[in-house]
Amino acid sequence: MLIDTIKKENLLALKNKDDNKRAVLSVIINKYMILGYEAKAKNIELTDADLLNIMKKTIKELEEERKSYSDAHREDKVKDITYQMDIVSSYLPKMMSEEEIKIVILSLSDRSIPSVMKHFKQNYNGLCDMGLVNKVLKSL
């Protein structure tokens, strides 16, 4: 699983004394573990898609933090956060383009909004932006 790769990278960052990389990977691991405890209480198995959602949320949080530091003219912190965002982004899969989404939608027999959204959530969770799916669907 992807979490195992991230844990190995975290240990490697610790050995290499890369504090920025270790910090962001530790945050992701901790969020995943917390979600794991919640899932275990509900008898649910975590997947890589859950980890990808955590990573996307982490990137959004880092973007907000970077903007705050940028507004405060703290370029050293902006550089560190940009580096952390690049690290997290490197683990994310390539997102589907509008054209790829359109092809999948056109291949479906039922193109109602609930049906299409359900199909993408089940089959392409973490690989596409659901807002983009909705936009493409409405443009058809």
Side-chain angles (χ1 to χ4, degrees), residues 20 65-66 69-70 72-84:
N20 279 328
E65 192 175 346
R66 182 174 66 176
Y69 280 122
S70 180
H73 304 293
R74 297 283 312 270
E75 296 306 316
D76 57 326
K77 292 289 188 182
V78 171
K79 182 181 171 189
D80 290 345
I81 292 173
T82 302
Y83 175 65
Q84 290 177 349

Side-chain angles (χ1 to χ4, degrees), residues 56-73:
K56 288 178 189 176
K57 287 178 186 175
T58 302
I59 287 177
K60 287 181 183 178
E61 292 167 1
L62 287 170
E63 285 175 358
E64 292 173 10
E65 192 175 346
R66 182 174 66 176
K67 185 182 182 319
S68 297
Y69 280 122
S70 180
D71 292 345
H73 304 293

Side-chain angles (χ1 to χ4, degrees), residues 4-111:
D4 297 326
T5 304
I6 291 175
K7 286 179 180 179
K8 287 177 187 174
E9 288 291 321
N10 191 32
L11 279 174
L12 193 62
L14 178 65
K15 289 177 184 176
N16 294 334
K17 297 183 177 150
D18 188 346
D19 293 334
N20 279 328
K21 185 173 186 177
R22 202 178 121 286
V24 74
L25 292 179
S26 293
V27 166
I28 290 170
I29 292 167
N30 290 336
K31 287 180 180 182
Y32 184 80
M33 289 176 67
I34 290 169
L35 187 63
Y37 295 134
E38 294 169 0
K40 190 174 185 178
K42 297 176 184 176
N43 291 328
I44 300 172
E45 191 78 25
L46 288 181
T47 64
D48 279 348
D50 296 315
L51 180 59
L52 293 176
N53 288 333
I54 289 170
M55 294 168 77
K56 288 178 189 176
K57 287 178 186 175
T58 302
I59 287 177
K60 287 181 183 178
E61 292 167 1
L62 287 170
E63 285 175 358
E64 292 173 10
E65 192 175 346
R66 182 174 66 176
K67 185 182 182 319
S68 297
Y69 280 122
S70 180
D71 292 345
H73 304 293
R74 297 283 312 270
E75 296 306 316
D76 57 326
K77 292 289 188 182
V78 171
K79 182 181 171 189
D80 290 345
I81 292 173
T82 302
Y83 175 65
Q84 290 177 349
M85 289 172 62
D86 291 342
I87 290 167
V88 176
S89 296
S90 70
Y91 294 103
L92 294 174
K94 179 185 167 281
M95 299 298 276
M96 292 177 73
S97 68
E98 283 188 43
E99 192 59 36
E100 292 169 326
I101 292 170
K102 187 176 183 179
I103 291 168
V104 172
I105 291 172
L106 292 175
S107 71
L108 298 174
S109 58
D110 181 8
R111 293 189 194 130

